Amino acid sequence: MGGQANGGLEDQVSPKTAAALRAAMTRLFEARPQRTDSRLTKENLYKEAQVSRATMNRAHAILAERDAHLAAHGKATPGEAKQDAAIPDLKKRLTKKTQECTHLEDKLKAARTAIAALYHDNEALPQQLDRDTATTVTPIRPRGPRRSH
């Protein structure tokens, strides 16, 4: 079994298992997993390498390399880092769209009020016309040419 030393740590796994864990770790770091969702978790590491958690836990040097990499580069995968970088721009765009929606809602409320007023006026129009025609005024007829007496 193992025996590969790394900073005083020794892997207690077979060279084949160590190679599988390192390959899996590399795939995870490069965001190209074959069996997991690419999050940089220990669970994904042993699943990606197709070994048991207990076996992975005996690979002390490999886990130390993983921890050192995460300390230097963070736990975010390249895809997650790219998404995180996009968040401020997306927040800005969302704020702008929210403001546009608020402005359009205000316009809609104003239009709704105007339409309601026009509807009311339109409903009242026949009654107004009926009242106006009921009180007809007979026009004064012109008397024709003036006659002299």
Side-chain angles (χ1 to χ4, degrees), residues 26-118:
T26 299
R27 286 194 305 274
L28 290 173
F29 289 156
E30 294 174 355
R32 48 178 191 83
Q34 295 174 346
R35 297 171 185 87
T36 64
D37 63 5
S38 83
R39 288 177 300 130
L40 301 176
T41 63
K42 286 183 179 180
E43 180 179 7
N44 279 353
L45 178 58
Y46 72 79
K47 285 180 179 179
E48 192 69 29
Q50 292 186 302
V51 300
S52 71
R53 184 173 189 98
T55 299
M56 176 198 66
N57 285 337
R58 289 194 308 271
H60 305 290
I62 293 171
L63 290 176
E65 290 172 27
R66 175 194 170 275
D67 293 345
H69 182 278
L70 293 180
H73 300 97
K75 291 185 179 186
T77 64
E80 291 170 334
K82 186 177 178 183
Q83 289 174 344
D84 289 348
I87 288 174
D89 180 55
L90 291 172
K91 283 183 177 179
K92 229 184 272 181
R93 289 174 51 197
L94 178 61
T95 299
K96 183 179 178 188
K97 292 296 180 188
T98 302
Q99 289 170 344
E100 288 175 12
C101 286
T102 301
H103 178 69
L104 290 173
E105 284 176 354
D106 291 344
K107 283 181 140 183
L108 183 60
K109 285 177 187 173
R112 202 177 305 137
T113 301
I115 290 169
L118 289 170

